[in-house]
Amino acid sequence: MPFYPPFFARRFSPSNPTRSARRRAAHRAATALLVAGLALPGAASAQVCEAMITLSREQASALLADMISPEVTALDQLYAFEELQCSDQPGVRELALRTAGLSQNPVIRSQVLSRALFEKEVLVIHLQAPEEPGEEHLGRLEQYPTESLPILFRDPAQGCMSFHDTRTCSTTSLGTVFGNGVDISITHGNVNTFGSFTYDHGDRLNGTITFRGLAFPAWIGLF
């Protein structure tokens, strides 16, 4: 997967919480690089902040409003989201992430997916009963209604994570994060697990997971 340049650190002037037209224009070129990159299949790299910034309550509120406003361009919505994600306040970053899950902007939703997944220590998959469950389905759901996969290695730049290897994204225990979802493939030892999940909006991915040929509808919570 190609590497996409990180955004430049962005700062507000304490004496002027309103973003000037000049500052917005200066960052649009960098933002456009991320938009173009995320439009490619498989792209899911999250922004890397060169420096964390302090936002006042008024500044954070204005950015949150811009991020989901239908009257703001998609590019400026993304600009607002990335600004919030470089806040030095964890609560502001989390609120921005949850709010962005409601965005109609597919590029922002892709960033929500990538950030939320790569910050996890364990990927918890919640199983559901298929329309016509067999005895094996019911037995599995009764004993193990969830499947927990510890994330032992992650590479956001490449959009992958490993559930077994601690040094690389192993092809035998691989989670691949792409624009609007994640694929899971585990063939390590006698494990044979495959899953595919898609993110639309909100706080979860929906999809299916198969254990040795036994398929379940399932979901993964983002937050």
Side-chain angles (χ1 to χ4, degrees):
M1 180 180 297
F3 173 78
Y4 302 108
F7 276 72
F8 299 106
R10 307 188 182 97
R11 300 180 184 273
F12 282 99
S13 169
S15 61
N16 182 14
T18 304
R19 288 168 296 167
S20 67
R22 177 190 291 181
R23 185 183 291 117
R24 291 162 72 107
H27 289 292
R28 284 193 179 190
T31 310
L33 289 174
L34 181 63
V35 173
L38 287 171
L40 299 174
S45 299
Q47 171 203 2
V48 177
C49 300
E50 291 186 1
M52 306 307 286
I53 59 176
T54 299
L55 299 173
S56 69
R57 179 175 180 176
E58 291 75 16
Q59 291 166 349
S61 295
L63 287 169
L64 282 167
D66 278 357
M67 186 177 65
I68 59 175
S69 172
E71 298 179 358
V72 176
T73 67
L75 198 58
D76 284 336
Q77 287 176 350
L78 181 60
Y79 176 92
F81 173 74
E82 296 296 353
E83 195 82 55
L84 288 161
Q85 287 301 300
C86 286
S87 168
D88 58 6
Q89 303 172 67
V92 170
R93 296 197 301 271
E94 182 177 354
L95 178 60
L97 203 61
R98 290 177 178 270
T99 304
L102 304 175
S103 172
Q104 297 301 310
N105 187 331
V107 179
I108 291 180
R109 293 201 304 271
S110 175
Q111 286 290 286
V112 171
L113 172 67
S114 180
R115 285 179 178 277
L117 288 181
F118 282 113
E119 288 180 2
K120 289 183 176 294
E121 297 296 327
V122 179
L123 195 66
V124 180
I125 302 170
H126 302 262
L127 308 184
Q128 297 175 306
E131 291 186 5
E132 298 182 1
E135 291 185 6
E136 286 185 275
H137 290 102
L138 296 176
R140 168 70 197 235
L141 287 169
E142 183 178 353
Q143 285 191 298
Y144 307 106
T146 62
E147 179 77 6
S148 296
L149 303 175
I151 301 174
L152 303 182
F153 178 84
R154 69 206 72 208
D155 187 345
Q158 296 298 319
C160 64
M161 58 182 64
S162 175
F163 309 113
H164 175 70
D165 201 309
T166 59
R167 296 171 297 177
T168 186
C169 288
S170 170
T171 56
T172 61
S173 61
L174 183 65
T176 305
V177 182
F178 50 93
N180 67 334
V182 58
D183 287 339
I184 296 169
S185 176
I186 305 175
T187 56
H188 175 72
N190 57 359
V191 178
N192 192 6
T193 300
F194 301 95
S196 182
F197 296 84
T198 302
Y199 179 59
D200 182 18
H201 65 278
D203 61 357
R204 66 167 63 178
L205 298 92
N206 295 298
T208 59
I209 189 163
T210 302
F211 306 98
R212 295 185 179 180
L214 195 64
F216 293 85
W219 60 274
I220 299 172
L222 287 181
F223 313 115

